[in-house]
Amino acid sequence: MHAYALASVAVPVTAALYGLTGVVRGRAAVRHRRALDRWAAVLADPYQAALERWWPNDAVQAAAARLLLDGLVTVNHRGNLSPAPAAADPARAPGHPLPEAVLAALRRRSAPATLGSLVLRDEGFATARREFREARPELRTAGEPAGAPKPGLYLVLAEMVFCAFGLLSLQPGGDAEWTAAWAAWTGLIAQIVWFPVHDRARGFRWTADADAVETARLGPPHPALSALEARDPEAFRRLRVSRLRTRRGRNRGRPRRRTPAGSGEPAGTGPAGTGPVSTGPVSTGTVSTG
């Protein structure tokens, strides 16, 4: 086969392939920049940045700390959280979905509750957390970008095989033919290199968005946690206890002492529901045997 014919096939195909790669690279760059912009807007929210952290530095702990700092909830030595009177004022709403979800879960309870019990057992709070998590965009690394169509790849491979066999059987007869043969060889080698170059251009294994999320996860603690630890270390410690406990454990399994309704007597120490225990003298009358 003539060298000019091989060069006229290999060189234009190579130019077309690398032109396609340039277009794909430009579109991928725009797509990646938009993805990073979306994540930057999301991670600007400190609760979103703390969402994937392990407790006691996660977003739930930070939301409870913000409520304590704002005076909307109180925590006792057992870690039980309860709404403060200021929580009923609409003007003092937390202004963020996650602290509002914690406060709403506490207001639904008839008694104080620990943060651990809200996380494990409150369906409304679980729904709010799920909706807050779903506000995040999807990582582009979750699904690889689509590659070149298979029919096009088969045509490129067929052209490469055709050029390779032609060049192997070629016997150039002059400087012009040698130049054409070298151009064809160069095009064929460039086509072999094109496959990994095209994969990188289309964003194969691009992880910049996942790296941004990981950087936010490993960042400094939420500002509310840092402020609570500096302002009230005891409340900060109690809040950690609250996250560890999943039950209030008010009586630790002991029966309650109850006073019958309408009686002014104090309750005794007998079993619950048996009323007061009499402590007067016991009658010692005789028993008739007749």
Side-chain angles (χ1 to χ4, degrees):
M1 184 175 294
H2 204 281
Y4 298 136
L6 293 175
S8 64
V9 173
V11 174
V13 171
T14 304
L17 291 177
Y18 278 90
L20 174 64
T21 299
V23 174
V24 170
R25 188 189 302 276
R27 295 180 62 182
V30 173
R31 186 168 61 248
H32 295 163
R33 184 172 63 253
R34 290 176 179 174
L36 291 177
D37 290 343
R38 286 195 298 268
W39 273 108
V42 170
L43 296 177
D45 180 0
Y47 293 99
Q48 285 284 1
L51 191 60
E52 299 294 338
R53 296 174 186 168
W54 290 96
W55 84 274
N57 292 324
D58 64 342
V60 175
Q61 200 81 2
R66 173 50 56 193
L67 294 176
L68 287 171
L69 288 171
D70 293 344
L72 299 178
V73 300
T74 59
V75 59
N76 62 13
H77 66 285
R78 292 181 180 272
N80 294 324
L81 296 168
S82 57
D89 186 3
R92 298 192 60 181
H96 192 278
L98 204 56
E100 287 177 357
V102 175
L103 184 58
L106 290 173
R107 297 181 69 178
R108 285 194 297 268
R109 299 295 184 97
S110 59
T114 64
L115 192 57
S117 67
L118 296 183
V119 172
L120 290 181
R121 298 186 176 89
D122 194 285
E123 294 296 332
F125 183 59
T127 301
R129 290 180 67 192
R130 185 167 55 253
E131 292 175 352
F132 185 66
R133 182 182 297 274
E134 290 173 354
R136 288 185 155 205
E138 293 185 0
L139 290 173
R140 295 201 60 85
T141 53
E144 296 177 359
K150 290 184 177 181
L153 291 177
Y154 294 153
L155 289 175
V156 172
L157 291 175
E159 179 268 340
M160 292 172 64
V161 171
F162 169 77
C163 290
F165 277 104
L167 288 170
L168 290 175
S169 61
L170 185 65
Q171 295 181 355
D175 293 342
E177 290 189 4
W178 274 108
T179 302
W182 279 113
W185 274 113
T186 304
L188 184 60
I189 295 172
Q191 290 174 25
I192 296 174
V193 177
W194 172 82
F195 288 95
V197 171
H198 186 72
D199 280 341
R200 289 195 300 270
R202 66 187 177 91
F204 182 68
R205 294 181 181 177
W206 181 79
T207 60
D209 53 352
D211 294 342
V213 176
E214 183 66 12
T215 301
R217 188 183 70 84
L218 298 176
H222 191 281
L225 292 172
S226 302
L228 182 64
E229 185 178 14
R231 185 185 304 178
D232 193 345
E234 180 63 21
F236 182 79
R237 186 192 65 81
R238 292 179 179 181
L239 190 60
R240 290 197 171 191
V241 173
S242 180
R243 185 64 177 274
L244 286 172
R245 297 184 58 216
T246 58
R247 295 181 181 274
R248 292 177 62 211
R250 183 169 49 190
N251 294 307
R252 298 182 181 272
R254 296 191 297 269
R256 298 182 185 180
R257 301 170 59 185
R258 301 180 182 275
T259 302
S263 70
E265 300 179 0
T269 58
T274 59
V277 178
S278 174
T279 58
V282 178
S283 175
T284 58
T286 60
V287 178
S288 174
T289 58

